[in-house]
Amino acid sequence: MEKVEEKHKRMLERYAESQDILDKYSVMPNKRSDYMSILRRITSENATDVRRPKQPLVLKRISDSVIEAYLSFKDNLALREEYINYYGDIRLGKILEDLDRLAGAVAYKHASDANGDLAPTIFVTAAVDRIDLKATVSPNRNYRLTGTVTYVGFSSMEIYIQLQAVPEPGESSDPDPNLVARFTMVGRDKYTGKSSQVNPLLLEDEDQRRLAKVSEQIKEHKKEEAERNLLKRAPSVEERLVIHQLWLETNKYQDSMYESHSMLPSDMVWLDKTSMESVNVCFPSERNVHNKIFGGYLMRLAHELSFANGSVFTRARPSYVSLDDFSFKKPVNIGSILRLTSQVVYSEPENKTFQVAVSADVIDNMKKTAERTNTFYFNFCCPASQVRRVVPRTYEDMMKYLEGRRRDQTGKIISKLQSSIQKR
């Protein structure tokens, strides 16, 4: 009994320590932050900001920037109530917020000076390379989130995060992760907005060098994919054959009337018939320390819309599998009208999987324009129900289909590279 109590006490101490670190390097406003006072300071003609000189760069070890956070669903009923969904399971959208928050904290900690003090650098989430759910997250277990820097460029760094169950008595002290994620963070000078060099990373052993090598491989693959972006280059020969085959299969369902189509078989659905939208007003309560809407909040909204769309698409309850590579192209300002548009853009009926793309647009009601900030790509599976084949019928939809197909392929490559590290 005493050993159990001591173990529980140590866990509470670790939890308190991790909270202190997260608060110090937080990407979210502290509880004493007052948005109205910030607004007055920003809009004041006499607003001033005392510049802090940047300290010399510090060679950091991987262990120097590790941060742990705890989700104690089993022990903290109030926390569990915040995360529970109507099925009695954990809301994964909430965990996506936690991942982005932790990635930001790890970036700020790595960029801190020799005394651990914050540098005059602003970090933003540039991209999410991949988030894989490997096992169900139970509301009856406690979990530990661990964030680590695995690669550093001039002004960017890659953060690897894993979610693991806190071991119960008799279980392995290092269980397999339930979820793994990779974030790319980019540093900007607080005063000029230009790229700001971050602390270099010291690789101390072969395992750490292997981590960095995988990050470089992923970076190189993403660069190659960017070069053949469908907005820059036409589809490949193989992709053109895919499009032509789709056209041959669906052309027979088009009758002689212009833009009119006959009913598809029950195991097929037109891509443009899978749309679902939501509109949100972005309030100050969802801001980050830079007074922009927090990226993790956007991921949660997108995930919840994609799940709703997937539920209608399958007429069942789909299970989240992964979030594919995407970039945050533009920040979302407080007060923005945000329109989220989702579509099922790709499916593999033989594997019972499908992909939902969610585009985020900021609407300017005065100019009557909409500006795209980013597009998320969520993958789901639904073993208990039929997954219909998604087919495009316009050239635009064919490009959406190919983009979804590419994201799916790239995601599987990144996931495979990551798994090769975990097996060692």
Side-chain angles (χ1 to χ4, degrees):
M1 186 66 179
E2 290 183 3
K3 288 184 178 180
V4 174
E5 290 179 353
E6 287 177 7
K7 186 175 181 180
H8 183 66
K9 183 180 178 181
R10 286 197 301 271
M11 192 184 83
L12 290 177
E13 289 173 350
R14 289 199 302 270
Y15 174 76
E17 290 173 0
S18 68
Q19 283 300 114
D20 289 341
I21 294 174
L22 281 174
D23 289 341
K24 181 175 181 179
Y25 300 107
S26 179
V27 297
M28 305 299 288
N30 60 49
K31 295 178 181 179
R32 296 182 297 278
S33 176
D34 176 20
Y35 177 69
M36 292 306 295
S37 64
I38 294 172
L39 190 62
R40 285 193 294 270
R41 177 172 59 80
I42 292 172
T43 56
S44 172
E45 294 181 359
N46 299 318
T48 58
D49 192 0
V50 179
R51 293 199 175 199
R52 292 185 292 113
K54 188 173 182 179
Q55 299 299 313
L57 295 176
V58 181
L59 184 61
K60 293 284 189 82
R61 298 173 298 173
I62 284 181
S63 58
D64 291 334
S65 304
V66 173
I67 296 181
E68 291 183 345
Y70 288 86
L71 296 173
S72 303
F73 300 133
K74 179 181 178 181
D75 296 339
N76 189 334
L77 297 184
L79 178 70
R80 184 167 69 183
E81 187 69 17
E82 289 181 29
Y83 282 71
I84 210 77
N85 65 22
Y86 53 92
Y87 293 113
D89 296 327
I90 294 300
R91 293 170 58 188
L92 288 172
K94 293 282 288 182
I95 291 181
L96 294 180
E97 287 187 286
D98 294 326
L99 295 175
D100 196 21
R101 187 177 295 115
L102 181 58
V106 172
Y108 276 108
K109 187 179 181 184
H110 178 81
S112 62
D113 62 24
N115 298 318
D117 295 327
L118 290 170
T121 304
I122 291 175
F123 282 97
V124 296
T125 305
V128 176
D129 297 334
R130 177 78 170 182
I131 300 177
D132 280 303
L133 182 66
K134 295 183 172 293
T136 303
V137 180
S138 169
N140 301 312
R141 294 292 299 264
N142 297 325
Y143 291 91
R144 178 177 62 247
L145 280 164
T146 307
T148 310
V149 177
T150 59
Y151 176 82
V152 171
F154 177 81
S155 61
S156 65
M157 63 181 81
E158 187 166 288
I159 313 294
Y160 170 68
I161 300 175
Q162 62 178 14
L163 175 75
Q164 293 173 292
V166 175
E168 298 283 354
E171 294 182 344
S172 169
S173 59
D174 187 24
D176 291 335
N178 295 68
L179 179 149
V180 295
R182 304 183 79 93
F183 285 72
T184 298
M185 311 297 293
V186 174
R188 296 283 183 265
D189 187 277
K190 181 179 180 180
Y191 307 107
T192 66
K194 296 180 180 179
S195 297
S196 179
Q197 186 174 2
V198 298
N199 291 324
L201 188 66
L202 174 64
L203 302 176
E204 299 180 286
D205 56 40
E206 190 58 36
D207 287 339
Q208 293 182 0
R209 283 187 281 274
R210 194 177 296 114
L211 280 173
K213 184 177 180 181
V214 167
S215 296
E216 289 175 352
Q217 289 176 310
I218 292 173
K219 184 179 179 181
E220 187 62 31
H221 184 77
K222 288 174 62 178
K223 184 178 178 180
E224 292 174 359
E225 287 298 306
E227 287 297 319
R228 66 188 196 107
N229 188 295
L230 288 169
L231 293 175
K232 298 179 180 179
R233 296 184 181 180
S236 66
V237 174
E238 185 260 342
E239 288 172 331
R240 276 176 254 172
L241 290 174
V242 169
I243 291 173
H244 186 68
Q245 185 61 36
L246 284 170
W247 178 78
L248 288 175
E249 290 183 35
T250 58
N251 189 51
K252 58 186 175 183
Y253 300 109
Q254 182 177 0
D255 60 32
S256 59
M257 294 182 66
Y258 180 67
E259 287 190 345
S260 178
H261 291 75
S262 304
M263 290 291 291
L264 287 173
S266 60
D267 62 345
M268 300 172 72
V269 61
W270 296 114
L271 190 152
D272 60 9
K273 294 297 184 181
T274 66
S275 296
M276 185 179 290
E277 285 190 0
S278 69
V279 178
N280 302 270
V281 178
C282 299
F283 293 105
S285 58
E286 305 301 341
R287 73 189 189 277
N288 57 24
V289 290
H290 314 308
N291 292 309
K292 303 292 183 182
I293 295 302
F294 177 49
Y297 169 71
L298 301 178
M299 283 198 288
R300 174 166 68 81
L301 291 180
H303 174 267
E304 290 171 353
L305 177 60
S306 70
F307 175 81
N309 196 338
S311 297
V312 172
F313 173 69
T314 59
R315 303 183 183 93
R317 179 189 172 193
S319 298
Y320 170 79
V321 175
S322 62
L323 172 58
D324 283 331
D325 165 52
F326 75 91
S327 301
F328 284 101
K329 297 177 181 178
K330 294 180 181 295
V332 177
N333 293 320
I334 297 169
S336 295
I337 299 174
L338 184 72
R339 181 182 66 204
L340 297 175
T341 306
S342 67
Q343 281 186 304
V344 182
V345 295
Y346 181 70
S347 65
E348 293 182 350
E350 66 278 11
N351 297 322
K352 298 282 188 175
T353 61
F354 62 94
Q355 184 183 91
V356 181
V358 183
S359 299
D361 298 293
V362 172
I363 298 173
D364 189 322
N365 58 308
M366 302 300 290
K367 297 180 181 179
K368 297 182 180 180
T369 60
E371 186 175 33
R372 181 67 46 86
T373 63
N374 54 282
T375 302
F376 307 89
Y377 295 87
F378 296 93
N379 295 301
F380 293 89
C381 70
C382 194
S385 180
Q386 179 190 45
V387 173
R388 290 175 289 172
R389 187 180 178 193
V390 176
V391 289
R393 56 175 164 180
T394 66
Y395 190 81
E396 180 182 3
D397 284 349
M398 288 176 182
M399 294 305 100
K400 290 178 181 179
Y401 179 90
L402 290 181
E403 184 64 27
R405 184 171 178 266
R406 286 183 178 187
R407 299 278 176 170
D408 181 71
Q409 292 170 346
T410 296
K412 288 174 180 176
I413 291 172
I414 294 175
S415 182
K416 186 176 181 180
L417 286 170
Q418 186 58 60
S419 297
S420 69
I421 297 174
Q422 295 168 352
K423 290 177 181 178
R424 290 178 179 273

